[in-house]
C-alpha cells in the first residue's frame, strides 16, 4: 500500500544526524527546558523573520496560548467572554474551533473560497458588534488571503491570529505565514511539514506582551514556581523534540521544494481529467503542499477513493465533517453567512499521498492508477 506520507524514508535519510542529536540530549539529561529548546526557538525566529518564538507542547496548545495571550494584551484579562465572537473557517481540523472555545469566546464560522481558505467576503458578512477577532487557517499549506483579511481587521478593529499548523514554510511575497498577523500558532505533529517524534508546537509573534504571556502560560502561568499570577498549563516543548526539530529545520527548504515538485507532477499528469479539479496557487503565494488535495466532481469522490484503495493507494478526506456540524460547537458557535462552498467541498475533496521523500516513480504510479480508474468513474 502506498502511504499518505512515508516518514520511515525520511528517518533513514536523517538517521545519523538525528541519532547524534538525541544522544547529546541523553548525555546532558536536561529533558525539560534544555539548551536545545532555546536554540530551536532562536532558529525559528531567525528562519521566519519574527521577533519571538515560544515553544509549547502541541499546535493545539499553541492556538489556545496565542488566543489567550492576545486577550491579555488587549484587555488585561485571562480569557475572552462568551459573548465575544471570533470568526474562523468550519473547513479545518477540530482544534482550530475547539481552541476558540477554550479561550472563552464563541466561534463564528464563515464560508471558504475555491482555495479552501476562509473567504474575506464571507468574513465581512459575519462581522457583528460582538466580533473581536479572526482566526485564519492556511489549509493544506496554501496561504490564506492575509492582505484582505488584515485590511478587514484594521477597518473593524479586530485582531488576527494564524493557524499555521499545516503551513510551515509557506509564504506570501517574501514573508512567511505565521508572521503576518498578531500571532501565529505552529504544530510539529509528526506528519506536519516540520514534524517532531511526538507532539510539539510554537507561538510566534512580534509583540513583547504576547511573548511574555505565552511564556507564563506554558509554564503554569507564572514568572517562576512561586510567583504564579495566571491560570496556566504544563505545556513545554520537550528538549528532545527541539533537538530533533533543529535537525529537520536544516532540511526544510529542500523538503518543501520536493513537496512542490511532487505536486507539480500530479498537476501535470492529471490536468486533462475534467472530473478532477487541481489545487491552484495564488499569485505571490508559496504553497507548501502539506496536503495535495483535489476535488472530484459529480459525486464521484467516494468511488474514486474505493478504486484507488483496490490499487493499493491510500487517500484521505480532509475534512468530511464541517466544524459547525459537530456537537461540541452546538450552542457555542454561530453562522451568519451561508456555508455553500464549505458544504460542497467537504463532499468533493480527497487528498493524495505526498511527502518530501515520495519519489517521482511512486507519484507516476499514482497518476497512472488515477488515469486508469477515472475511466470507470
Ligand atoms: C494539526 C493541526 C492542529 C493541531 O496541532 P496539534 O499539534 O496536533 O495539536 C491545529 N490546526 C490545524 C489546521 C491542524 O492541521
Amino acid at each position: 500500500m502506498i502511504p499518505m506520507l512515508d516518514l520511515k524514508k525520511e528517518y533513514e535519510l536523517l538517521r545519523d544526524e538525528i541519532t547524534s542529536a538525541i544522544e547529546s540530549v541523553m548525555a546532558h539529561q536536561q529533558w525539560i527546558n534544555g539548551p536545545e529548546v532555546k536554540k530551536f526557538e532562536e532558529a525559528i525566529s531567525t528562519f521566519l523573520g519574527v521577533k519571538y518564538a515560544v515553544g509549547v507542547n502541541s499546535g493545539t496548545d499553541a492556538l489556545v496560548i496565542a488566543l489567550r495571550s492576545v486577550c491579555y494584551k488587549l484587555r488585561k484579562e485571562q480569557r475572552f467572554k462568551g459573548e465575544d465572537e471570533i470568526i474562523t473557517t468550519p473547513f479545518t481540523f477540530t482544534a482550530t474551533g475547539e481552541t476558540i472555545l477554550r479561550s472563552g469566546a464563541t466561534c463564528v464560522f464563515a464560508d471558504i473560497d475555491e482555495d479552501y481558505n476562509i473567504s474575506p467576503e464571507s468574513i465581512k458578512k459575519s462581522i457583528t458588534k460582538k466580533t473581536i477577532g479572526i482566526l485564519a487557517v492556511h489549509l493544506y499549506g496554501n496561504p490564506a488571503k492575509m492582505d484582505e483579511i488584515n485590511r478587514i481587521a484594521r477597518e473593524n478593529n479586530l485582531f488576527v491570529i494564524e493557524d499555521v499548523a499545516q503551513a510551515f514554510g509557506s509564504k506570501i511575497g517574501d514573508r512567511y505565514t505565521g508572521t503576518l498577523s498578531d500571532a501565529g500558532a505552529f504544530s510539529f505533529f509528526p506528519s506536519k511539514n516540520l514534524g517532531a517524534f511526538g507532539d510539539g508546537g510554537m507561538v510566534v509573534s512580534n509583540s513583547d506582551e504576547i511573548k511574555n504571556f505565552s511564556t507564563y502560560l506554558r509554564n503554569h502561568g507564572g514568572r517562576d514556581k512561586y510567583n504564579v499570577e495566571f491560570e496556566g498549563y504544563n505545556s513545554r516543548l520537550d528538549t528532545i523534540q527541539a533537538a530533533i526539530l533543529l535537525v529537520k529545520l536544516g532540511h526544510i527548504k529542500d523538503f518543501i521544494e520536493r513537496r512542490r515538485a511532487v505536486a507539480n507532477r500530479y498537476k501535470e499528469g492529471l490536468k486533462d481529467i475534467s472530473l478532477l479539479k487541481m489545487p491552484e496557487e495564488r499569485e505571490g503565494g508559496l504553497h507548501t503542499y502539506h496536503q495535495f488535495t483535489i476535488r472530484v466532481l459529480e459525486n464521484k469522490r467516494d468511488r474514486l477513493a474505493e478504486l484507488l484503495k483496490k490499487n493499493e493507494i491510500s487517500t484521505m478526506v480532509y475534512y468530511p465533517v464541517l466544524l459547525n456540524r459537530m456537537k461540541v460547537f452546538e450552542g457555542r458557535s454561530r453562522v451568519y453567512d451561508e456555508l455553500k462552498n464549505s458544504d460542497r467541498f467537504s463532499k468533493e475533496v480527497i487528498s493524495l499521498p505526498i511527502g518530501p521523500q515520495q519519489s517521482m516513480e511512486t507519484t507516476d504510479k499514482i497518476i497512472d492508477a488515477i488515469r486508469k480508474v477515472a475511466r470507470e468513474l
Side-chain angles (χ1 to χ4, degrees), residues 257-270 279 281 289 292 354 360 363 367:
E257 277 317 302
R258 288 161 175 269
R259 280 182 182 275
R260 290 179 50 77
V262 172
N264 286 331
R265 189 82 154 204
Y266 273 134
K267 284 195 208 175
E268 196 52 39
L270 299 171
E281 282 188 47
Y289 295 100
F292 187 83
I354 193 166
M360 288 305 163
T363 309
I367 291 170

Side-chain angles (χ1 to χ4, degrees), residues 58-60 63 92-93 95-96 137 163 165-166 187 189 192 200 319:
S58 69
T60 305
L63 281 166
T92 178
F93 181 58
T96 312
V137 183
D163 178 341
Q166 302 189 3
S187 164
F189 183 85
K192 303 289 159 96
Y319 293 91

Side-chain angles (χ1 to χ4, degrees), residues 57-63 89 91-99 136-140 163-167 185-192 198-202 290-291 318-319:
N57 192 270
S58 69
T60 305
D61 279 10
L63 281 166
T89 162
F91 192 67
T92 178
F93 181 58
T94 329
T96 312
E98 166 204 329
T99 52
V137 183
H138 305 288
L139 202 71
Y140 310 142
D163 178 341
V164 222
Q166 302 189 3
F186 286 96
S187 164
F188 305 123
F189 183 85
S191 66
K192 303 289 159 96
D199 282 308
M202 186 81 79
H290 171 61
Q291 297 296 341
Y318 301 115
Y319 293 91

Side-chain angles (χ1 to χ4, degrees), residues 34-46 242 246 249:
E36 286 82 357
V37 174
K38 194 149 201 281
K39 219 173 143 196
F40 179 58
E41 288 171 342
E42 283 167 5
I44 288 285
S45 70
T46 304
L246 269 167
L249 184 64

